[in-house]
Amino acid sequence: SSSGQSTTWDAGIDSTTNVSWRVLALALHDTTLFVGGRFATIRGAVRRQLAAVSAISGALLPWDAGVERLPDFILDGGPRITGLVLQDSTLYTAGSFKVIGGKSRQGLAALDIVTAQATSWDPRALGDPATGATFTAVLISGDTLFAAGEFDSLGGGPRSYVAALSTGTGERFSWDPRPNLGVSTLSLSGGSLFAGGGFTSIGPWVSRSNLAAFDSRTGLVTDWAPEADYLVHDLIVQGNTVYIGGSFSYVGGQPRAGLAALDAMTG
């Protein structure tokens, strides 16, 4: 439709007491739409944080990964799914959880899109004793999975805010750009990985305010430095343009309130 009006399609996520019904991540496979976020039920059926619905009718599908995080603290935003990415028959899932697909996994897991069971892929994420490791973004390039979040260890490597893992073994690559604070969003274009968040420096004290670009092979920070004056929550790269959204008011040398388009080469 070219009207911009809502269609009759409705997945029917329920509003339930003490639960903020938010959808934070989507992934589409054929006619199945995987939906992640912070919700508890869909049309009265329990689907905590993750569900599969028909992209045609909106009907809830039997697929259920059984996401759990107990005790269910809410002060940090509660258990949630914040990132979904598909590769072949595997749904890589990022968020804040401790059990998913019948297995113990902290914040990062690989699920079978047919059975909803966790695969043998185990990145061995460990984090806060109460909430576990928490991830905010995930993307895949070839045999590499890039993940952003807060964790004490991941894939055999120590604490960081963004890391690269093997999609085959779950082991962590030496790639390590080392932002000093959290990364909220990632986008890949060519050989550059663009990141947004709340950090102020990269690697060995290279100043970067809330936006940066890394070499996707080496992890070294590039010269791209738009310097947003506050948090960047989301970004996407299209051609030579980086579109960003967040809580900033000034970026790339210009006043921009919360939404901006940046040159991917010059910033």
Side-chain angles (χ1 to χ4, degrees), residues 78-111:
R80 57 200 180 274
I81 300 298
T82 53
L84 297 170
V85 62
L86 280 159
Q87 187 178 63
D88 300 324
S89 61
T90 301
L91 179 68
Y92 291 90
T93 305
S96 183
F97 51 82
K98 289 186 175 180
V99 174
I100 190 169
K103 294 185 179 178
S104 175
R105 298 284 189 271
Q106 287 193 21
L108 193 61
L111 303 175

Side-chain angles (χ1 to χ4, degrees), residues 35 51 54 58 68 72 77 89 122 140 145 148 154 179 186 209 224-225 229 242 253 258-259:
V35 182
S54 168
E68 297 179 17
D72 188 3
S89 61
D122 185 0
I140 288 178
L145 181 140
L154 178 67
L186 300 169
S209 296
W224 192 78
D229 65 353
V242 182
L259 185 63

Side-chain angles (χ1 to χ4, degrees), residues 9 15 23 38 43 61 82 90-91 108 153 177 219 225 241 255 258:
W9 189 92
S15 59
V23 172
R38 172 80 169 123
R43 302 192 190 280
L61 301 178
T82 53
T90 301
L91 179 68
L108 193 61
S153 64
T241 303

